[in-house]
Amino acid sequence: MDITTFGGPVPQRGIGVVAPFDFALDRELWRWIPEEISLHLTRTPYVPVEVSVDMARLISEHETLHNAVMALDAVRPVSFAYACTSGSFVGGTAHEQAMCASMSGAGRGVPAVTTSGALLEAVTELGARRVSVITPYTASLTDSLADFMGEAGVDVVGRQYMGLTGEIWKVGYRNVVELARSADLTHADCLFISCTNLSTYDVIPQLEAELRIPVISANQVTMWSALRHAGAEAAGDYQSLIDPAARAALAPYQRRVIAPPPITAAAVAAEAADWERLSASESAAAAPPEEPIADIDLG
């Protein structure tokens, strides 16, 4: 059989991915990718710093991003993604937006996203305003994530962290699930699992079924957003961000926020009058009944 009879290979569109130098989960990113899309990855230069606020700043400098995208652009991707949560939230929302502009500018103007920007897109897609987060980070880096989300108008209502400063890719599913189970979800609309070096693909369906709340992760939202900007759809059965059936299954458990009726001057006056009547009736009920004064025999 002559393979050329069938033509091929299948025409591909590419997504250019800039990852931190210590990123180790290339295979996980591919799990969200449809057949007609290829990923082209490059990494930021090595810096001898542990996972921290300082490292996040060093791996997200504009010159670093510009050079990485220039190299990737040789194969003409249709979108770019910066696959690092901490590197894209550490400078706040203005820095995240500037990162996207820098990457797009270095790559022929094609769309560019970051993990933290994709997180905000995903939260909006799910209609969530209150999010609980779990991270492998230290307390200070986790707080920085909460600050970023707060600046963007998303209320972080719970946070749990592992306190790791390196080799995060070695964390197993069991640890991720246990941390998720410990999260405070009392007032949360969804749960976010941070860090692109933390494996999450297979735990998302299990956690959504168990916790009955949408669960999103760093790698998931990054690929979902980059694909959307490329005009493609992510693969991911039983993940509510991606699978409409999974989202519909969680709908009965979602909290409904009912806005209170507007308070008018007439309503305030009526309530005050009600309180006056209630106070008067309570005072009357509390007063002892009048009894006749008995005659006193003074002898």
Side-chain angles (χ1 to χ4, degrees):
M1 181 181 68
D2 185 357
I3 192 65
T4 62
T5 302
F6 302 97
V10 176
Q12 294 284 296
R13 290 179 294 157
I15 294 176
V17 180
V18 181
F21 65 89
D22 65 341
F23 180 71
L25 300 183
D26 303 50
R27 287 178 62 86
E28 172 157 288
L29 295 184
W30 279 92
R31 299 185 71 180
W32 280 285
I33 303 303
E35 183 180 357
E36 72 276 11
I37 300 291
S38 287
L39 294 182
H40 310 299
L41 274 82
T42 191
R43 282 166 170 74
T44 62
Y46 170 78
V47 291
V49 181
E50 64 184 11
V51 177
S52 61
V53 171
D54 290 338
M55 176 180 161
R57 295 188 187 282
L58 288 170
I59 61 175
S60 61
E61 294 177 342
H62 290 309
E63 183 179 359
T64 298
L65 294 178
H66 180 88
N67 292 339
V69 169
M70 287 288 289
L72 287 169
D73 199 43
V75 293
R76 296 295 188 262
V78 292
S79 70
F80 292 97
Y82 176 73
C84 180
T85 325
S86 61
S88 52
F89 68 59
V90 72
T93 56
H95 180 65
E96 188 278 329
Q97 293 166 8
M99 290 173 68
C100 292
S102 178
M103 289 191 294
S104 183
R108 297 168 290 113
V110 302
V113 303
T114 72
T115 299
S116 296
L119 163 61
L120 299 181
E121 287 183 39
V123 166
T124 299
E125 172 72 13
L126 293 170
R129 302 307 302 169
R130 300 163 298 183
V131 179
S132 187
V133 302
I134 60 173
T135 84
Y137 313 137
T138 59
S140 60
L141 203 51
T142 302
D143 290 343
S144 185
L145 168 60
D147 291 342
F148 171 85
M149 297 180 72
E151 184 183 351
V154 180
D155 188 13
V156 175
V157 295
R159 66 190 80 175
Q160 295 284 351
Y161 57 90
M162 296 180 182
L164 302 181
T165 59
E167 299 188 337
I168 292 170
W169 69 87
K170 293 184 178 180
V171 175
Y173 281 159
R174 182 182 301 275
N175 300 99
V176 176
V177 169
E178 288 176 352
L179 190 64
R181 287 170 176 163
S182 72
D184 183 0
L185 302 177
T186 307
H187 302 291
D189 298 320
C190 78
L191 173 67
F192 174 57
I193 307 173
S194 190
C195 189
T196 54
N197 235 357
L198 195 64
S199 297
T200 58
Y201 186 92
D202 293 307
V203 303
I204 292 173
Q206 175 184 331
L207 288 174
E208 290 193 328
E210 180 178 327
L211 303 177
R212 294 182 176 179
I213 192 171
V215 176
I216 55 179
S217 76
N219 281 333
Q220 180 204 46
V221 300
T222 305
M223 292 297 96
W224 168 80
S225 177
L227 286 163
R228 287 217 309 178
H229 286 278
E233 295 183 358
D237 291 340
Y238 310 111
Q239 299 179 17
S240 62
L241 177 64
I242 298 167
D243 184 348
R247 193 181 306 185
L250 290 177
Y253 305 103
Q254 299 306 292
R255 298 172 180 82
R256 296 179 57 196
V257 179
I258 303 174
I263 299 175
T264 64
V268 172
E271 184 174 354
D274 289 341
W275 275 107
E276 289 180 2
R277 285 193 295 270
L278 179 61
S279 297
S281 61
E282 288 180 346
S283 298
E290 294 185 1
E291 297 181 359
I293 300 175
D295 294 335
I296 300 176
D297 185 2
L298 297 180

